[in-house]
Amino acid sequence: MKVWAVLKYDVETLELLHICNTKELAIKKLFEERDKLILHWKEMDELVNEEYQDDTYKQMIKNLSSNDYENWDNYPYDCLTIEELELETERIFDV
């Protein structure tokens, strides 16, 4: 059975955010997670720039702002991706 995992990772961690039964649903969830990250980073950018002149959050927002998710490059900061997985399981549900 194929599933698609939506993952968030950075230089130190890997987090499973969603497991979806279709790639289309995984892409939808990926963009929802991206939008949450961007909103958070915009808030952080406002806080940081009150004290420091730092463009890190602006760069992170720019890195994930395109709709071409296969070419997002935000490493070593939070990155999002979709991985196709094949589950090797016994029948889970009786239909």
Side-chain angles (χ1 to χ4, degrees), residues 44-73:
M44 293 302 296
D45 183 56
E46 290 174 15
L47 292 173
V48 167
N49 280 320
E50 288 177 7
E51 286 190 46
Y52 311 103
Q53 293 300 315
D54 185 355
D55 290 335
T56 301
Y57 290 106
K58 285 179 180 58
Q59 187 61 45
M60 291 164 60
I61 292 166
K62 180 182 174 191
N63 291 346
L64 294 187
S65 288
S66 81
N67 288 332
D68 184 10
Y69 69 89
E70 292 178 340
N71 290 311
W72 286 344
D73 182 14

Side-chain angles (χ1 to χ4, degrees), residues 36-49:
K36 288 182 202 176
L37 274 176
I38 287 176
L39 181 61
H40 173 70
W41 292 338
K42 285 180 179 179
E43 293 169 357
M44 293 302 296
D45 183 56
E46 290 174 15
L47 292 173
V48 167
N49 280 320

Side-chain angles (χ1 to χ4, degrees), residues 12 27 30 39 53-54 67 82-83 88:
E12 296 178 343
I27 291 169
L30 180 79
L39 181 61
Q53 293 300 315
D54 185 355
N67 288 332
I82 297 173
E83 293 289 329
E88 296 179 22

